[in-house]
Amino acid sequence: MAPTKKGILERLSAGEVVIGDGGFVFALEKRGYVKAGPWTPEATVTHPEAVRQLHREFLRAGANVMQTFTFYASDDKLENRGQSLKITGSKINEAACDLAREVANEGDALVAGGVCQTPSYLSCKSETEVKGIFKKQLDVFLKKNVDFLIAEYFEHVEEAEWAVQVLKTSGKPVAASMCIGPEGDMHGISPQECAVRLVKAGAQIVGVNCHFDPMTCVKAVKLMKEGVEKAGLKAHYMVQPLAYHTPDCNCQGFIDLPEFPFGLEPRILTRWDMHKYAREAYKVGIRFIGGCCGFEPYHIRAVAEELAPERGVMPPASEKHGMWGAGLEMHTKPWVRARARRDYWENLHPASGRPLCPSLSAPEGWGVTKGHADLLQHKEATTAQEMKHVLDMQKKAKTSA
């Protein structure tokens, strides 16, 4: 029998650094296995080899959490706005669990089953209806015996609380991660209050993921930590940010940027930026450190390399990567060999190569959120009339910006 792995809470309570994986949705969209727009994970059934390989690359890069590729795998999302996959949510979730477990067993990794925000909540469905959606996913996670659960990518703390309350009935450890920045959720509830509410709902690990760049996310989690401690509560902390620079974002994050989602590449963080992120996250007391949209395996490898002294191990993928560019000593060109040093890469200010482009963008900022008519969802495809309305809204937003 294989030795029993330490659980997530056991690792975090011992002060260990746990490294999450990266952004499957964006990574697989770029590889041709996910459609931008619905962002649903049917690739677990239609192209399992692609999902398996990405898991494997993140494991090799140093991740020791394999998160099931179940983002937006709820039935209401799979049927939203004309989507007709003819693949059930249960089938997608089951396949995702099997793939994550297969790769996790190749190393010292845990499997985390994940749920996220739902179209039903945005459409003002009842608490009972929304919780029923989470329960259907949870049933699969229990059947497949995942190691712990994550409620992630929630813009509204109320819905995140509902998710945690459902996941908590499993008896498994629960993490809760909101896609918010220092300004708080979409109804203006502060990160401090969000964290306190999530801990009281039953989450043992709290933090943020997606929507903002690493340093902004670290700042938000720091505020969460302050709130939890001030309330006399205890929790562990996690952060899984974007791999994009977002200094110009408002409270909605990168979704409001005009470059979202197909023009974000100029904002991508370098591997050296990831070293700084990992160190800063560790300094403020975060011990579950990973990535979300935009993160590729080499980004996670950089996190693992930065925290190798604390973890006591280098990731397998570092066999093909000299620390701080050391491998460049083998380059044929002398001026490239001269770059094989830490101070060169740590102090580099990369150019974009785009002389006509601005450094910052103006977020669109429509200001609509849960309860607004424009966010009501439906099974039918988006109509021409609806498209005309959103184009008129876009024009109005740009005029008033």
Side-chain angles (χ1 to χ4, degrees):
M1 288 181 60
T4 303
K5 296 177 182 178
K6 289 190 290 184
I8 185 67
L9 296 180
E10 188 179 358
R11 298 181 192 211
L12 293 173
S13 295
E16 294 182 24
V17 175
V18 173
I19 295 183
D21 53 15
F24 270 63
V25 172
F26 269 43
L28 288 171
E29 190 278 331
K30 288 180 172 64
R31 289 160 170 79
Y33 300 105
V34 166
K35 179 184 282 188
W39 305 109
T40 47
E42 61 273 11
T44 61
V45 175
T46 61
H47 294 90
E49 73 287 350
V51 179
R52 182 186 297 110
Q53 177 62 21
L54 191 54
H55 274 306
R56 195 164 279 147
E57 290 178 22
F58 281 118
L59 181 74
R60 180 172 163 77
N64 49 3
V65 172
M66 297 291 104
Q67 200 165 326
T68 59
F69 185 35
T70 51
F71 180 81
Y72 277 164
S74 60
D75 285 337
D76 62 337
K77 180 62 178 174
L78 294 170
E79 299 172 347
N80 196 46
R81 291 196 175 275
Q83 177 99 307
S84 56
L85 296 174
K86 297 181 173 58
I87 305 173
T88 65
S90 293
K91 189 171 183 180
I92 291 171
N93 283 283
E94 287 193 15
C97 290
D98 290 341
L99 291 166
R101 177 62 70 192
E102 177 186 346
V103 177
N105 286 346
E106 296 173 6
D108 186 33
L110 301 172
V111 174
V115 301
C116 65
Q117 66 182 12
T118 63
S120 292
Y121 182 82
L122 288 179
S123 298
C124 301
K125 296 291 180 66
S126 70
E127 177 179 349
T128 299
E129 289 174 291
V130 174
K131 283 186 170 180
I133 291 168
F134 296 138
K135 179 65 165 57
K136 286 185 72 173
Q137 285 189 271
L138 175 61
D139 287 344
V140 175
F141 298 147
L142 291 177
K143 176 182 176 182
K144 295 296 183 177
N145 195 28
V146 300
D147 298 306
F148 69 103
L149 300 158
I150 300 179
E152 69 165 3
Y153 196 78
F154 286 90
E155 296 173 309
H156 304 90
V157 68
E158 180 182 58
E159 188 182 16
E161 286 178 294
W162 294 353
V164 169
Q165 288 162 2
V166 171
L167 298 184
K168 191 66 181 174
T169 63
S170 68
K172 292 181 179 291
V174 175
S177 183
M178 298 189 65
C179 51
I180 63 173
E183 294 180 47
D185 84 347
M186 293 304 296
H187 284 142
I189 298 172
S190 72
Q192 294 93 321
E193 184 179 343
C194 287
V196 169
R197 287 173 61 170
L198 292 172
V199 172
K200 288 182 175 179
Q204 295 116 318
I205 308 164
V206 294
V208 300
N209 75 292
C210 207
H211 276 207
F212 296 93
D213 61 46
M215 293 309 186
T216 302
C217 287
V218 169
K219 182 178 179 182
V221 178
K222 185 178 180 181
L223 293 173
M224 286 182 152
K225 187 171 183 285
E226 291 171 0
V228 170
E229 291 173 351
K230 186 176 180 180
L233 301 171
K234 291 184 178 181
H236 300 289
Y237 301 94
M238 68 182 297
V239 62
Q240 299 204 102
L242 297 175
Y244 303 108
H245 292 285
T246 61
D248 41 357
C249 280
N250 55 27
C251 67
Q252 180 72 73
F254 80 143
I255 292 176
D256 270 7
L257 292 175
E259 300 95 331
F260 177 87
F262 298 129
L264 291 165
E265 283 82 359
R267 294 172 175 266
I268 200 79
L269 273 75
T270 69
R271 64 194 69 196
W272 317 117
D273 293 326
M274 292 301 174
H275 279 263
K276 296 174 185 177
Y277 150 59
R279 184 52 55 193
E280 185 63 21
Y282 187 86
K283 279 171 57 179
V284 304
I286 303 169
R287 293 295 178 267
F288 186 156
I289 303 170
C292 199
C293 297
F295 266 75
E296 292 283 346
Y298 75 95
H299 290 123
I300 292 297
R301 181 179 63 188
V303 171
E305 288 180 344
E306 175 63 30
L307 297 174
E310 287 78 11
R311 300 178 81 211
V313 64
M314 288 285 280
S318 294
E319 296 170 5
K320 295 295 184 180
H321 184 246
M323 283 289 285
W324 297 103
L328 298 180
E329 293 176 358
M330 303 169 70
H331 202 278
T332 56
K333 304 296 189 292
W335 57 91
V336 179
R337 290 199 296 273
R339 299 169 190 163
R341 64 186 198 278
R342 177 171 182 162
D343 65 314
Y344 178 87
W345 295 109
E346 233 175 7
N347 296 304
L348 181 71
H349 296 283
S352 71
R354 298 172 181 268
L356 301 182
C357 291
S359 297
L360 303 176
S361 294
E364 293 192 353
W366 288 18
V368 301
T369 188
K370 187 245 185 179
H372 193 285
D374 287 342
L375 280 184
L376 294 178
Q377 304 298 311
H378 50 70
K379 290 185 179 182
E380 298 76 28
T382 301
T383 65
Q385 184 177 356
E386 287 177 312
M387 281 304 302
K388 182 181 183 303
H389 172 69
V390 297
L391 291 172
D392 289 343
M393 288 285 290
Q394 183 185 62
K395 183 177 180 180
K396 181 180 177 181
K398 287 184 176 181
T399 301
S400 61

